[in-house]
Amino acid sequence: MRIGLDMMGGDFAPTEAVKGVKAFLDTVAADVHLVLIGDEQQLLPLVAEAQLDQSKYSVVHSSQTVGMNEHPTKALKEKPQSSISIGFHLLKNEKIDAFISAGNTGAMMVGTYYSIKAIEGVQRPTISTLVPRENGTYGLLLDVGINADCKPENLVQFAILGSLYSQHILKIDNPKIGLLNIGEEEGKGNLLALATYPLLKENKQINFIGNIEGRDVLSEKADVIVCEGFTGNVILKMAESFHELALRRNIEDDYMKKFDFEAYGGTPVLGVSKPVIIGHGISKGLAFKNMILLAQQMIESKLLEKIKESFVSNEKQ
């Protein structure tokens, strides 16, 4: 398999991206060829210094970079030789099997929508985050930011996508799906929650357990927690602050360390036809290594094929 990596994306590029590549190649025995997309003048000295196995990677030169604060659509249109643009070109033309970047999130989403397209039947692709639980396992929360306003049908699809991801990537059998709400009772919530509940309840593709409250998010009550992106993003940013708070207060706690985003790298865009993984702008070596591992898992598990099958069968019902 060939995994493309934007080496110029993120606040610490390309230095930390090279560290992540080295960590992956040094510790993972896999038939993976990495395609490193970036400015050769900056990249090649770092790659040489890292003493990477030359048979395990190739470099594709990019002469432009999309800045973190640039307008996504304008940047991709005006910078066809950027590392992000080239990455999507390679993915679209099947020169790579997955694409990873910690660069401009908006540009990554625009590139995904217009280059890769959604899987047939998926109304809105979504992004998720892992939720650390005290027993060492992880739950999944989605959407966490790209769909701030949603319809009930969107949340049902998020539940299906999250369920499939949990089964095939997190290895959770028959994952429990919970709808994030302000109360456990079926009649609680705003208009979106009230309209979504019966649709989840009647959907035979998922194991819906009902509403869950904010205090249940970090528990094992639900394996997949569904909400619209506005609420999900607030929870995500608050959870990230737990780790920062622990560091500032010199708190040594194994559970709190699990809130460090570096531990799981990035988030896949679920619902599109090829693997696209978006990393945090401040990603360092460990995060890049884990994003490559996630891309490898998605390809080996044939997750996208299973999502396509699920939505085809859903359309026929």
Side-chain angles (χ1 to χ4, degrees):
M1 73 181 73
R2 295 171 66 85
I3 297 174
L5 185 61
D6 171 15
M7 303 299 286
M8 310 309 293
D11 294 347
F12 305 109
T15 303
E16 292 296 331
V18 172
K19 289 180 182 178
V21 168
K22 179 174 176 56
F24 175 81
L25 294 179
D26 285 351
T27 59
V28 180
D31 184 22
V32 176
H33 186 88
L34 300 180
V35 179
L36 314 182
I37 307 161
D39 181 353
E40 288 182 339
Q41 189 172 354
Q42 297 183 57
L43 195 54
L44 292 181
L46 293 170
V47 169
E49 184 182 349
Q51 299 182 324
L52 305 180
D53 182 346
Q54 294 184 6
S55 67
K56 293 290 187 179
Y57 75 92
S58 55
V59 175
V60 175
H61 177 62
S62 65
S63 58
Q64 298 172 310
T65 302
V66 175
M68 298 297 275
N69 297 315
E70 290 191 63
H71 187 279
T73 306
K74 184 179 179 183
L76 289 181
K77 185 176 181 180
E78 295 179 353
K79 294 184 173 181
Q81 292 304 309
S82 68
S83 49
I84 289 180
S85 296
I86 291 172
F88 279 114
H89 175 76
L90 294 174
L91 187 61
K92 181 179 180 180
N93 289 283
E94 301 183 346
K95 303 296 184 184
I96 56 177
D97 302 305
F99 180 47
I100 297 165
S101 176
N104 186 306
T105 300
M108 284 296 291
M109 292 309 307
V110 170
T112 301
Y113 287 148
Y114 291 102
S115 299
I116 309 306
K117 311 295 186 185
I119 290 172
E120 187 175 353
V122 175
Q123 297 169 353
R124 291 191 191 180
T126 181
I127 58 175
S128 61
T129 189
L130 294 177
V131 178
R133 305 188 289 198
E134 282 194 83
N135 68 348
T137 65
Y138 287 92
L140 193 72
L141 173 71
L142 71 171
D143 183 280
V144 292
I146 63 170
N147 296 290
D149 294 300
C150 293
K151 296 178 180 178
E153 294 80 7
N154 303 143
L155 296 193
V156 174
Q157 291 198 342
F158 297 166
I160 296 169
L161 291 167
S163 180
L164 291 167
Y165 186 87
S166 292
Q167 289 175 57
H168 300 292
I169 302 298
L170 302 181
K171 305 302 182 184
I172 299 174
D173 293 329
N174 197 26
K176 304 185 293 291
I177 312 297
L179 176 64
L180 191 60
N181 209 329
I182 59 171
E184 294 183 350
E185 301 84 357
E186 185 171 344
K188 284 288 185 73
N190 58 13
L191 293 175
L192 176 61
L194 289 169
T196 302
Y197 192 104
L199 297 182
L200 291 171
K201 188 177 181 179
E202 68 187 26
N203 192 291
K204 294 181 173 57
Q205 290 183 282
I206 58 173
N207 175 22
F208 180 55
I209 62 166
N211 291 326
I212 69 161
E213 299 178 273
R215 61 187 173 189
D216 301 317
V217 169
L218 302 180
S219 75
E220 298 162 48
K221 186 168 184 179
D223 300 306
V224 178
I225 303 161
V226 178
C227 61
E228 92 296 334
F230 185 95
T231 302
N233 191 263
V234 171
I235 292 175
L236 169 63
K237 297 295 172 60
M238 186 180 71
E240 287 180 350
S241 75
F242 293 168
H243 181 253
E244 295 167 6
L245 181 65
L247 288 178
R248 286 199 302 271
R249 299 178 68 86
N250 296 315
I251 297 171
E252 284 291 330
D253 184 90
D254 289 340
Y255 177 64
M256 295 300 284
K257 289 177 183 177
K258 293 180 181 294
F259 287 91
D260 182 3
F261 71 90
E262 291 265 348
Y264 49 89
T267 179
V269 183
L270 296 175
V272 294
S273 57
K274 295 179 184 293
V276 174
I277 296 170
I278 301 174
H280 204 297
I282 56 173
S283 292
K284 293 191 177 180
L286 179 60
F288 281 103
K289 174 192 173 184
N290 286 330
M291 284 189 277
I292 300 169
L293 283 169
L294 176 56
Q296 179 188 350
Q297 280 184 289
M298 291 181 70
I299 295 167
E300 289 179 345
S301 68
K302 301 188 184 300
L303 174 64
L304 299 190
E305 288 84 344
K306 292 175 171 67
I307 290 174
K308 290 173 187 175
E309 291 169 6
S310 178
F311 276 83
V312 166
S313 65
N314 192 42
E315 289 291 314
K316 291 178 179 178
Q317 289 179 7

